[in-house]
Amino acid sequence: MKANWTRREFVQRVGTAAGVLALGGTFAEFLAACGGSATTSGSKLEIFSWWTAGGEADGLAEMFKIYKAKYPSVAIQNAAVAGGAGSNAKAVLATRMQGGKPPDSFQVHAGQELVSTWVKASKMEPITAIWASEGWDAVIPKDLKTIVSSGTDVWSVPVNVHRGNSLWVSAKAASAVSATTTNNLDNFLSALGTAKAAGMQAPLALGSKGNWQVTMLFENNLVAVGGADFYRGLFTGKSSWTDNNIKTALNYISRMLNYVNSDHATIDWDQAAGRVQAGTSVATIMGDWAKGYFTANNWKPDTDFTGIPSPGTTGTYMIVCDTFGVPKGAPDHDNAVNWVKVCGSKDGQAAFNPKKGSIPARTDVPASLFDSIAQRFMGEFKNASLTPSIAHGSAAPEAFASGLNDEMGQFVQQKNVNASATNIAKLAAQFLQ
Ligand code: GAL
């Protein structure tokens, strides 16, 4: 089994190597120059995230409940900013951090988004001592620790592992878009074609507001057409961004677009999931936070819907890992430290993840707490070839990820495979070298 090797590859890319990939200079330097400020503690705790949709907001509320029970005198301020993948929140956070007004703790993806942005800019406090005193080495896999570490320090604690390469299918569609018809991209497209021929206008639900959802289609398709080694190689220099797989992956997106709702640019991922639930679409490709959405809206896993690897990606796991750390100058420093402890705790992760749709970062949270789809994902995660997500901050510096999102926004309008492939190669040359 290649699992050990591939995990090492994964870690090398998003972890220790993360610091060498500069954000692009000036922004990081500017932040570094701002420096930290003295820490104090009050009776409040401000938590910043983008968890406002069904499922994700419920998961967050569960962790708030645990915090409240432990620290009843602390008033929690939920500073969540709506917009999937932090499409609005990240800009708000950057403004606050630059202005010296950090929240007490904020959601940040493991890997580049943490290390080559906030750590590089000297805006985080190390949590190395907390990690040790909480005994997390014994319960959080080393691979996950590595991608929230740089130098000799640890900078945040993973609260979950999401799977970015998932396909969600309504049970009503089970015969048309079944697991066997979705095991590769061509079969999937022909299943969508069958559904459309039977009268369904938009069998594949897409919400592309903010464009990151199309970046997800792109990264999943890259794994499907090139394999996990090819995909990881794009970030280590072993694979080329001018490889024909780039065009093939784009071409598959273009073909998928024949089957999506025409208003996709105006809706987000949760509204797209809502279309599946409403029955106007039969499937959507989205991270397993979509499972959180469905269960929050009273759909039963493996009864009303199911979840499987996105077409052509069986055996791989597109890692999306949410973490929390403590920024320098957190106004309620000690409360923030206690928050991070809840995030890394067994109770916290046991309460959070079943609602969130993710699997826990800790290995000691009982699988029996989870639905059957999550249990399957937990099993697959153990042996899967891990690939870090671009769309969700792990694989590449922010400048590349946001440039790619913009390009995907162009692509869904123009569907010009050659032009987008050229522009993507330019972005890679600029930001990944
Ligand atoms: C991701 C995040 C997930 C989920 C999703 C949609 O970036 O890691 O936890 O919130 O965005 O908002």
Side-chain angles (χ1 to χ4, degrees), residues 26-355:
T26 48
F27 178 59
E29 280 159 19
F30 172 74
L31 289 174
C34 294
S37 54
T39 56
T40 54
S41 264
S43 58
K44 66 170 179 57
L45 172 75
E46 190 195 17
I47 300 301
F48 188 94
S49 78
W50 55 86
W51 290 334
T52 60
E56 55 185 21
D58 304 288
L60 183 61
E62 289 296 320
M63 281 205 295
F64 285 168
K65 265 190 228 162
I66 289 179
Y67 190 94
K68 267 298 214 197
K70 280 180 164 256
Y71 312 102
S73 63
V74 177
I76 299 176
Q77 294 174 0
N78 183 356
V81 175
S87 41
N88 304 316
K90 285 187 198 171
V92 174
L93 179 67
T95 305
R96 289 188 56 170
M97 297 286 272
Q98 287 172 52
K101 299 213 174 316
D104 290 315
S105 182
F106 61 88
Q107 174 193 358
V108 60
H109 290 124
Q112 299 274 324
E113 189 178 306
L114 169 71
V115 177
S116 75
T117 305
W118 303 119
V119 175
K120 186 177 162 57
S122 259
K123 298 299 282 184
M124 301 302 286
E125 267 192 16
I127 63 155
T128 319
I130 302 170
W131 192 287
S133 62
E134 294 298 297
W136 288 336
D137 273 349
V139 285
I140 298 182
K142 196 166 177 291
D143 292 353
L144 293 182
K145 182 185 182 184
T146 305
I147 60 172
V148 291
S149 302
S150 73
T152 54
D153 278 310
V154 192
W155 301 97
S156 68
V157 64
V159 70
N160 66 1
V161 178
H162 269 302
R163 185 178 212 170
N165 59 320
S166 338
L167 171 70
W168 304 99
V169 185
S170 158
K172 289 177 204 146
S175 56
V177 188
S178 66
T180 40
T181 59
T182 54
N183 60 3
N184 72 46
L185 284 162
D186 291 315
N187 290 348
F188 179 58
L189 283 159
S190 80
L192 292 176
T194 306
K196 190 159 179 173
M200 182 171 274
Q201 236 358 75
L204 182 63
L206 174 66
S208 70
K209 192 176 179 181
N211 304 318
W212 58 273
Q213 307 87 340
V214 189
T215 301
M216 288 184 77
L217 295 179
F218 180 58
E219 64 192 16
N220 290 341
N221 286 358
L222 281 174
V223 172
V225 302
D229 283 341
F230 170 78
Y231 177 83
R232 282 189 298 264
L234 290 168
F235 308 100
T236 59
K238 282 190 194 149
S239 307
S240 167
W241 284 92
T242 58
D243 192 288
N244 205 47
N245 283 332
I246 306 292
K247 288 186 185 170
T248 309
L250 288 170
N251 195 45
Y252 274 117
I253 300 179
S254 174
R255 290 171 61 193
M256 286 177 184
L257 292 172
N258 294 327
Y259 304 105
V260 305
N261 41 295
S262 56
D263 62 350
H264 61 82
T266 65
I267 67 169
D268 206 340
W269 69 271
D270 52 329
Q271 291 160 288
R275 301 279 171 95
V276 177
Q277 210 171 4
T280 47
S281 297
V282 291
T284 192
I285 293 172
M286 187 39 59
D288 49 9
W289 46 92
K291 177 167 67 67
Y293 173 90
F294 289 133
T295 57
N297 288 286
N298 303 314
W299 251 17
K300 291 203 177 9
D302 285 332
T303 300
D304 298 315
F305 72 103
T306 196
I308 52 178
S310 65
T313 67
T314 300
T316 70
Y317 216 100
M318 185 65 77
I319 299 294
V320 180
C321 179
D322 295 307
T323 78
F324 283 87
V326 182
K328 281 184 184 164
D332 308 285
H333 174 265
D334 296 355
N335 297 343
V337 166
N338 288 337
W339 166 252
V340 164
K341 288 180 181 170
V342 168
C343 291
S345 70
K346 186 174 175 181
D347 285 356
Q349 299 205 3
F352 172 76
N353 285 288
K355 298 228 165 166

